[in-house]
Amino acid sequence: MTEPRAPAPSLSTTPEPTTTPSDRGTPGGILETASVATGLQTPWGVAFLPDGSALVTLRDSAEVLRVDDRGQTRLSADGPGGAVPAVHHESEDGLLGIAIGPDHGIYLYLTTDRDNRVVRYNLDGDDLVDPTVIIDGIPSHQNHNGGRLAFGPDGYLYVTTGDARQQDRAQDTDSLAGKILRLTPTGDPAPGNPFGNAVWSYGHRNVQGIGWASDGRMYASEFGTNEFDELNLIEPGGNYGWPDIEGWAGRSGFIDPLVTWPTDEASPSGITVTDDGVWMAALRGETLWFIPLGPGGEVGEPRPHRLGIGRLRDVVPAPDGSLWVMTSNTDGRGRPKAGDDRILRLVVRPPS
């Protein structure tokens, strides 16, 4: 049974600007903010359907919400109370990433009591039906599960995984842990993968965001441990160092990050990539970072936008050209305020 719609969320612009005039005058400046949805419990991922509505995953309760101009609707699956079935949650695990496939299938990354896996559903009205396991056996733990899903410009499904607290797995190209995976929409290793299996890149601790510029360059954000969080340019077959290296290696065999941050300034999660730069949501740092990109991919000085809304889980491009930013204050590590968690719509300076 489909849940009734909640009242439509307000779309009122916040009364004061959240950025300085110099920010507002350059690419990467925020011109306007408005509320899209409030009262969300531990949201994790957002993906847009062809009709412009958004699907939002709720990590702890294993629910998927549809958010549109009429409000919020809980989609129904076969699990308890209509939730996605077999989802196991303790800490950072649960129902994580979401992507819409080229065939409009709904792809979900989730933790079970024995692994992480990607499951594809069809959407029939407000029902998730016909589940198909795309890949399973991804090592799981209550922490370090990765979980971001995205279809790349090549039409293949990219999946980020964490080291699941077994660090050495990240350097093992036969393991699915600590990797970025590249798959066909049906779950086979994509043609041209560097090791003849699902692995695209390795040596990752816990990748949380992926995205592409229009020239095909792929970027990823990654949690460090005690010293450095990273933004990386992803190359097929590349070794990003974990657990041997955190941050800059400066030696052959490892790919150095483009940018690093102290872990208290970032703890990066989802990213959006444009030709002007990378938008990166930060959890512990409670900041929306903009990292400028030059025409050849060169990196400029990162610019912080402190929106004053707490921990930021994801930033995604909306069909109307705005950005949606999702908070993560109800995840057990934040300081929830009335109305949390929420999604804000940002109007940003268009490309120059």
Side-chain angles (χ1 to χ4, degrees), residues 80-106:
V84 175
V87 175
H88 178 80
H89 165 68
E90 291 183 67
S91 178
E92 296 173 0
D93 50 352
L95 181 60
L96 303 177
I98 182 170
I100 311 300
D103 60 352
H104 303 163
I106 312 302

Side-chain angles (χ1 to χ4, degrees), residues 43-308:
W44 207 93
V46 183
F48 285 91
L49 292 167
D51 66 4
S53 62
L55 299 186
V56 178
T57 57
L58 303 184
R59 185 192 70 186
D60 301 359
S61 63
E63 296 172 286
V64 181
L65 301 181
R66 185 199 302 267
V67 176
D68 58 23
D69 57 6
R70 295 174 292 175
Q72 304 171 24
T73 304
R74 188 178 71 180
L75 303 186
S76 179
D78 291 332
V84 175
V87 175
H88 178 80
H89 165 68
E90 291 183 67
S91 178
E92 296 173 0
D93 50 352
L95 181 60
L96 303 177
I98 182 170
I100 311 300
D103 60 352
H104 303 163
I106 312 302
Y107 289 74
L108 300 173
Y109 187 106
L110 57 94
T111 312
T112 73
D113 59 4
R114 59 184 180 276
D115 65 2
N116 286 307
R117 57 183 56 187
V118 178
V119 181
R120 181 196 179 279
Y121 283 87
N122 288 318
L123 183 59
D124 182 7
D126 288 328
D127 297 323
L128 293 169
V129 299
D130 304 325
T132 301
V133 176
I134 298 302
I135 188 171
D136 58 8
I138 300 170
S140 63
H141 188 270
Q142 66 181 22
N143 305 116
H144 296 194
N145 292 284
R148 197 66 64 187
L149 300 179
F151 279 88
D154 55 9
Y156 294 120
L157 175 64
Y158 290 76
V159 182
T160 78
T161 73
D163 67 9
R165 292 288 192 183
Q166 296 290 323
Q167 296 181 0
D168 290 344
R169 290 170 169 167
Q171 287 294 316
D172 179 0
T173 57
D174 290 325
S175 170
L176 297 176
K179 308 294 187 298
I180 296 176
L181 310 178
R182 179 174 176 260
L183 305 169
T184 69
T186 56
D188 294 320
N193 282 3
F195 305 107
N197 57 14
V199 174
W200 187 242
S201 62
Y202 69 109
H204 298 293
R205 182 173 182 263
N206 196 13
V207 172
Q208 294 284 287
I210 50 177
W212 292 262
S214 63
D215 61 8
R217 288 186 178 94
M218 181 182 180
Y219 298 86
S221 60
E222 181 161 357
F223 283 134
T225 176
N226 298 314
E227 295 184 275
F228 298 113
D229 295 322
E230 301 176 358
L231 179 70
N232 286 295
L233 177 67
I234 300 300
E235 299 178 9
N239 182 353
Y240 289 82
W242 181 255
D244 302 309
I245 299 296
E246 179 183 358
W248 295 82
R251 68 176 191 257
S252 177
F254 299 107
I255 297 177
D256 284 331
L258 297 174
V259 186
T260 63
W261 292 261
T263 54
D264 61 351
E265 292 184 6
S267 294
S269 194
I271 66 173
T272 285
V273 182
T274 72
D275 287 341
D276 282 322
V278 179
W279 294 91
M280 186 182 82
L283 290 159
R284 186 178 174 189
E286 300 187 357
T287 299
L288 181 64
W289 288 92
F290 179 74
I291 302 93
L293 296 174
E298 60 273 16
V299 176
E301 184 70 21
R303 304 172 189 164
H305 297 287
R306 296 182 175 89
L307 304 179

